[in-house]
Amino acid sequence: MIRILTDSASDILPAEAATLGVDVIPLNVTLEDGTVIRDGVDLTPSEYYAHMAAGKKLAAARQLSPELCDLF
């Protein structure tokens, strides 16, 4: 069986991913205050950008490991 995975930085919409048969794995994003969110799951894009506009530092995202991808 072959599965196609991408991370949420691809910005593929859920309906588009379903049509294409692609699994989208959310990236963990650390906000300025140390809060960790799952991209596209815990905040809407509008809420995320509001955090970015209000903060002094950019959020940091970590690359997914192959081991984490096995969980999906």
Side-chain angles (χ1 to χ4, degrees):
M1 175 183 190
I2 296 175
R3 292 176 60 196
I4 299 173
L5 304 171
T6 188
D7 63 45
S8 57
S10 66
D11 289 330
I12 295 176
L13 298 173
E16 191 176 25
T19 300
L20 296 170
V22 173
D23 293 317
V24 180
I25 301 170
L27 288 172
N28 287 330
V29 179
T30 305
L31 302 176
E32 182 178 11
D33 66 0
T35 303
V36 178
I37 63 162
R38 294 168 295 162
D39 181 34
V41 176
D42 298 323
L43 293 178
T44 66
S46 296
E47 292 169 328
Y48 174 76
Y49 289 120
H51 277 279
M52 295 292 89
K56 294 180 179 140
K57 293 170 51 179
L58 294 176
R62 292 184 305 188
Q63 182 178 6
L64 295 172
S65 68
E67 293 80 18
L68 181 60
C69 293
D70 287 340
L71 299 175
F72 295 89

